[in-house]
Amino acid sequence: MSTRFLLAGTAAARGMTLGRARLVQPSQLVVDERPLGENEIESEVERLRHALQVARDELRVLREKLHGALAREVGEFIDAHSMILDDPELTSGLYSMIRQGRFRAGAALKAQRDRLVAAFDAIDDPYLRSRREDVDHVIGRVQAVLARDTTPAERQIASRVGSILISDTVAPAELAHLSDYGVLGVITTGGSPLSHSAILARSMRLPMVVGAHEALKRITDDDLLLLDGTLGEIVVHPAAQDLVRYRQYQREQARSAEALSRLKHERTLTRDGIEIHLFANAEMLADIAQARACGAVGIGLYRTEFLFMQRRELPDEEEQFIAYRDLVLAMAGAPVTIRTLDLGADKTDSTGLALAQEPNPALGVRGVRLALRRPILFATQLRAILRASSFGPVRILVPMVTSNEEIAVVRALTEECARELRSSGHEIADHFELGAMIEVPAAAIALPFLLRQLDFIAIGTNDLTQYTLAVDRNNDELGALYDPLHPAVLKLLAQIISTAERAKKSVTLCGEMAGDTRYTALLLALGLTGFSMHPSSLLEVRQAIAGCDRSALRKQATALLRAQTRAGIEKVLERMRST
Ligand code: PEP
Ligand code: MG
């Protein structure tokens, strides 16, 4: 009997699943390093040509099979990968390695991959870093075709059904493909819960743990695993008590799915009858469908930067307009908050828009700072958003704001775009609402001044926590220090909410905290009435709110804000949970 052990990682997409391990190590494939004999060269060239063609065909089929909302978002990643496969620099290098260097196809691919990755690693450029991962995935795909020369493709796919995939990284396109073939969960040794793949896994409800550094070393193919994407834990060779826990989880899931589905079209009311507004965060159209199905009152945050990622050309005004218009139409009259481009820091694009090198990117040219340095690009986006506003209520949200001057420039530019659009005969709404993300301590502290120019605000606790505590949100070494319950963060939150309330400006909170029921009572205690979250959390938060007495919680806010330590805060929270 194999011995049970635990591996820890970071929770990236919720849910528990049981399955057999399937290891994928594209960068560590064992390849045949023996040099080719003279008479083997041409057949090896042919073998590589065939593998490249099969990989291309697979991507094409995969692209065609995508349907609905995934087609656009994931399609772009697949196109990027197809382009790499067609890149003559990659392929001609491979052929000459076989012909002149006597490499076997697999060894040539590995050498080419290592060479490219070393070159990318040497240049500290975020654009190239994102391409490095793409190259890795593309080469992994061709390697896989070569490796299955002797294995029927069906057998490979069948062996993935019911499995939990373990890899160093997983590309978004692979994720879509894998769930089609019945992969139940994903573990990566690197990565962060804020990666695009993690966001996609959450949208697809595929449990995922990232940063499980030991996984590839300590797990072997076919090991039975219990993956807990909620706790960020992997049980290898689960024992009887784990299986009991899993069955209990399944029963609870079934019960809560039933209870939650009854809440789909309910209003969100606290136990004492106060209405709370639940909005959805969205990155892709699938999120919109889910938001509607769960009765979100609108979109509180649409992250437009995803339109700019994983592609070489910038989206023009027309393409952006169509994306925003479709979003507005899909929400059928409910308000849609479109956030202007928030590239920079960890959100790098592939168009070369974000600055290539900055000494301190999280404190660098990010969000509105980048937009104001590229006024033509920014105006293109504003025009597209304004044009979409004739199809339903649209609010414009600006990220990474720190000063009144920035807001004044954005407002002037938006008004100028509106004037131009009207005079060239475009239909746009008579009035637009302009809001700011409050995610930098400076904006929180200067809020009374900023609010004079703003129609609404959205609190970005993901960044507000990072910048208040000086803890990089993507650095898994500092995970424990990244604490939204730090007294300084709570004080700022309380201050932001009460300042906006006094100024009679609408405020929502759209960071990850909003969708986490551990914080629901706390946020209600601080006076929050607008929450925006990934739609998959919406019903649970509605249910948690229904169990809370808001006026009793409000009375505990002072005790919460007086607590000087984490333990003190936990104690007040404990009391709140039983309120
Ligand atoms: C935030 O910072 O809380 C936020 C919602 O924005 P993002 O996670 O896109 O930076
Ligand atoms: Mg942010």
Side-chain angles (χ1 to χ4, degrees):
M1 228 201 54
S2 314
T3 324
R4 168 191 189 271
F5 62 94
L6 292 179
L7 289 179
T10 307
R14 287 190 301 170
M16 199 187 277
T17 188
L18 187 70
R20 298 243 165 237
R22 180 75 39 226
L23 272 59
V24 180
Q25 311 189 41
S27 51
Q28 294 164 22
L29 275 181
V30 182
V31 290
D32 190 347
E33 306 273 7
R34 289 169 304 148
L36 289 167
E38 184 66 41
N39 56 350
E40 291 175 306
I41 290 176
E42 280 318 305
S43 63
E44 198 64 6
V45 165
E46 203 36 56
R47 211 163 84 85
L48 176 65
R49 202 188 307 282
H50 175 253
L52 288 167
Q53 192 50 48
V54 172
R56 269 186 214 107
D57 291 347
E58 279 183 0
L59 282 173
R60 188 177 38 74
V61 170
L62 180 57
R63 182 91 166 83
E64 285 164 7
K65 272 181 45 197
L66 290 173
H67 41 77
L70 282 180
R72 203 176 70 220
E73 283 87 0
V74 179
E76 281 161 13
F77 294 99
I78 298 175
D79 290 345
H81 286 192
S82 303
M83 266 192 267
I84 295 174
L85 266 181
D86 289 334
D87 187 341
E89 212 175 301
L90 175 81
T91 49
S92 63
L94 290 170
Y95 291 130
S96 63
M97 281 164 117
I98 297 176
R99 288 208 169 97
Q100 277 106 49
R102 305 269 175 110
F103 281 73
R104 287 170 199 273
L109 277 164
K110 183 174 186 301
Q112 185 77 320
R113 180 236 167 233
D114 292 348
R115 192 179 64 78
L116 291 170
V117 165
F120 288 165
D121 284 347
I123 312 164
D124 187 18
D125 177 322
Y127 164 70
L128 289 178
R129 262 206 308 275
S130 73
R131 307 258 50 96
R132 167 203 189 284
E133 208 170 275
D134 289 335
V135 166
D136 223 6
H137 290 300
V138 168
I139 290 188
R141 179 176 287 281
V142 185
Q143 292 275 33
V145 177
L146 285 172
R148 68 175 182 240
D149 267 354
T150 49
T151 325
E154 292 76 12
R155 219 157 65 209
Q156 282 251 331
I157 288 165
S159 72
R160 289 182 170 179
V161 172
S163 68
I164 295 174
L165 187 94
I166 309 169
S167 182
D168 45 4
T169 58
V170 178
E174 288 289 343
L175 264 186
H177 185 46
L178 292 171
S179 79
D180 269 0
Y181 287 112
V183 168
L184 300 172
V186 176
I187 300 168
T188 61
T189 52
S192 117
L194 293 165
S195 71
H196 201 160
S197 292
I199 289 168
L200 203 60
R202 287 196 283 278
S203 296
M204 298 164 75
R205 294 167 171 253
L206 194 65
M208 182 178 192
V209 170
V210 299
H213 307 292
E214 302 274 286
L216 280 172
K217 275 188 246 138
R218 302 200 45 206
I219 300 175
T220 0
D221 256 335
D222 282 330
D223 281 352
L224 190 64
L225 306 178
L226 180 63
L227 170 70
D228 189 333
T230 313
L231 290 180
E233 182 186 89
I234 303 141
V235 186
V236 188
H237 308 304
Q241 82 264 23
D242 300 306
L243 301 180
V244 168
R245 184 160 73 99
Y246 180 56
R247 274 198 297 278
Q248 192 179 337
Y249 164 82
Q250 285 181 310
R251 276 197 298 274
E252 275 164 18
Q253 278 299 102
R255 256 200 312 274
S256 73
E258 200 186 302
L260 288 177
S261 76
R262 277 188 246 116
L263 293 176
K264 274 188 177 168
H265 302 291
E266 298 282 313
R267 283 164 67 203
T268 309
L269 296 175
T270 61
R271 210 165 68 220
D272 51 335
I274 310 291
E275 173 135 34
I276 304 296
H277 306 288
L278 298 192
F279 294 85
N281 290 353
E283 281 90 37
M284 47 200 279
L285 282 174
D287 298 332
I288 312 296
Q290 202 183 355
R292 294 219 55 202
C294 296
V297 295
I299 299 298
L301 171 66
Y302 180 66
R303 290 180 162 105
T304 58
E305 49 277 7
F306 289 113
L307 283 176
F308 290 71
M309 289 179 175
Q310 298 285 333
R311 53 188 294 160
R312 292 184 179 181
E313 304 290 323
L314 290 170
D316 62 11
E317 180 181 319
E318 203 56 27
E319 182 182 340
Q320 289 189 63
F321 160 65
I322 290 167
Y324 306 149
R325 182 202 60 195
D326 289 354
L327 169 68
V328 173
L329 289 175
M331 286 309 290
V336 172
T337 312
I338 302 181
R339 183 172 74 183
T340 58
L341 195 57
D342 186 22
L343 282 178
D346 57 307
K347 294 184 198 154
T348 51
D349 65 320
S350 3
T351 58
L353 196 60
L355 295 196
Q357 266 181 325
E358 284 189 285
N360 219 336
L363 305 181
V365 184
R366 172 184 172 185
V368 72
R369 302 172 183 179
L370 178 66
L372 293 179
R373 282 173 172 228
R374 302 288 300 263
I376 296 177
L377 169 103
F378 191 30
T380 303
Q381 180 171 43
L382 290 170
R383 286 169 59 91
I385 300 174
L386 287 167
R387 284 174 59 195
S389 74
S390 68
F391 294 86
V394 167
R395 313 199 299 176
I396 303 172
L397 177 63
V398 189
M400 199 60 192
V401 165
T402 53
S403 73
N404 249 328
E405 285 75 8
E406 284 164 344
I407 303 171
V409 179
V410 173
R411 192 173 273 284
L413 188 61
T414 316
E415 276 162 4
E416 191 184 319
C417 290
R419 267 195 306 276
E420 277 171 14
L421 284 169
R422 285 197 188 99
S423 64
S424 59
H426 282 289
E427 274 289 317
I428 64 168
D430 297 336
H431 171 73
F432 63 87
E433 284 191 25
L434 185 69
M437 291 286 293
I438 304 301
E439 52 186 348
V440 180
I445 295 163
L447 191 60
F449 306 147
L450 305 190
L451 276 177
R452 299 201 183 123
Q453 292 197 83
L454 293 170
D455 301 304
F456 69 97
I457 58 167
I459 310 174
T461 41
N462 304 343
D463 279 315
L464 188 63
T465 307
Q466 138 164 292
Y467 292 125
T468 304
L469 303 177
V471 173
D472 181 346
R473 66 192 255 189
N474 292 315
N475 185 341
D476 57 359
E477 290 293 316
L478 296 174
L481 291 183
Y482 182 90
D483 180 15
L485 291 183
H486 187 288
V489 179
L490 294 186
K491 268 199 187 355
L492 279 181
L493 284 180
Q495 201 176 309
I496 297 168
I497 296 166
S498 63
T499 307
E501 200 172 66
R502 271 199 306 278
K504 298 195 168 39
K505 299 284 164 85
S506 122
V507 49
T508 54
L509 189 150
C510 59
E512 292 298 302
M513 261 184 118
D516 188 333
T517 51
R518 286 175 304 169
Y519 304 122
T520 309
L522 172 141
L523 295 172
L524 290 173
L526 295 180
L528 190 74
T529 54
F531 293 61
S532 191
M533 68 202 71
H534 190 272
S536 60
S537 305
L538 216 131
L539 296 179
E540 272 172 41
V541 173
R542 179 172 294 150
Q543 191 179 44
I545 288 173
C548 289
D549 182 328
R550 182 174 186 261
S551 40
L553 285 172
R554 292 289 281 140
K555 291 190 188 117
Q556 300 191 50
T558 319
L560 183 73
L561 297 171
R562 283 207 183 124
Q564 298 182 15
T565 58
R566 175 64 203 248
I569 288 172
E570 285 291 354
K571 219 182 261 169
V572 183
L573 280 183
E574 205 50 51
R575 271 207 307 276
M576 283 182 170
R577 286 189 195 113
S578 53
T579 298

